[in-house]
Amino acid sequence: MKNRSIILALALSIGLLTASCNHDDDGNGGETIVPLTGKWEISKIGTTSGGTETLTDAPQNQSGCNKDYMELKIDNTVIEGDYDSTLAPCSFTTDSGIYSRSHNNLTRAIDGVTTVQDIVNLTIHELKLKDASGNIEVYVR
């Protein structure tokens, strides 16, 4: 009787250990769990050439104005805000459309133009996107 109790306890322990250590990944296919939704201000732009990234401060951010942004909403709508001083100081316009995420790709469709970019980096504070031509956009929250 004592041997059966020991064998049963050992079998249960091995079963629990196997179940708790069965999967090393979190089941999300290698994607980050940081939410993509939110308001992202453009910070830097750049290119990749020969494997080397070159980033500069985003020239579309007008001095003295708020930063241009992209807001990704939970209902898969996107709003792009643009501050431009060409006609009037810090004139503000928005364009809206839809977006989707498939694995590590972000696709936006705004005013009939579809943009597909790879999500290179996504943290709580930074979103780095790169298109097929090697153009890079870095956004911050």
Side-chain angles (χ1 to χ4, degrees), residues 99-120:
Y99 78 93
S100 65
R101 178 181 183 178
S102 175
H103 301 291
N104 281 329
N105 288 332
L106 176 65
T107 302
R108 292 177 282 169
I110 299 173
D111 293 335
V113 177
T114 300
T115 306
V116 179
Q117 296 169 299
D118 292 333
I119 300 172
V120 177

Side-chain angles (χ1 to χ4, degrees), residues 1-140:
M1 180 74 167
K2 192 173 186 181
N3 282 342
R4 281 178 44 179
S5 296
I6 291 173
I7 292 173
L8 182 60
L10 183 60
L12 285 172
S13 296
I14 291 172
L16 288 173
L17 181 63
T18 302
S20 66
C21 298
N22 194 18
H23 296 288
D24 289 344
D25 68 332
D26 54 12
N28 66 7
E31 292 182 24
T32 180
I33 59 173
V34 174
L36 187 60
T37 56
K39 187 174 181 180
W40 297 93
E41 294 179 338
I42 186 85
S43 173
K44 298 196 179 284
I45 62 166
T47 59
T48 302
S49 179
T52 303
E53 277 186 12
T54 304
L55 297 173
T56 60
D57 289 335
Q60 57 266 57
N61 288 331
Q62 300 285 310
S63 179
C65 302
N66 290 333
K67 292 184 178 181
D68 291 358
Y69 68 88
M70 168 179 63
E71 185 173 3
L72 302 170
K73 298 190 172 215
I74 199 159
D75 65 356
N76 289 87
T77 58
V78 58
I79 299 171
E80 291 184 347
D82 179 39
Y83 294 89
D84 188 358
S85 295
T86 303
L87 300 176
C90 298
S91 176
F92 178 66
T93 59
T94 60
D95 289 312
S96 60
I98 58 171
Y99 78 93
S100 65
R101 178 181 183 178
S102 175
H103 301 291
N104 281 329
N105 288 332
L106 176 65
T107 302
R108 292 177 282 169
I110 299 173
D111 293 335
V113 177
T114 300
T115 306
V116 179
Q117 296 169 299
D118 292 333
I119 300 172
V120 177
N121 189 36
L122 175 59
T123 67
I124 294 293
H125 302 290
E126 181 183 271
L127 170 62
K128 183 189 276 187
L129 303 171
K130 181 169 67 169
D131 67 16
S133 299
N135 298 313
I136 300 169
E137 296 176 338
V138 179
Y139 293 85
V140 295

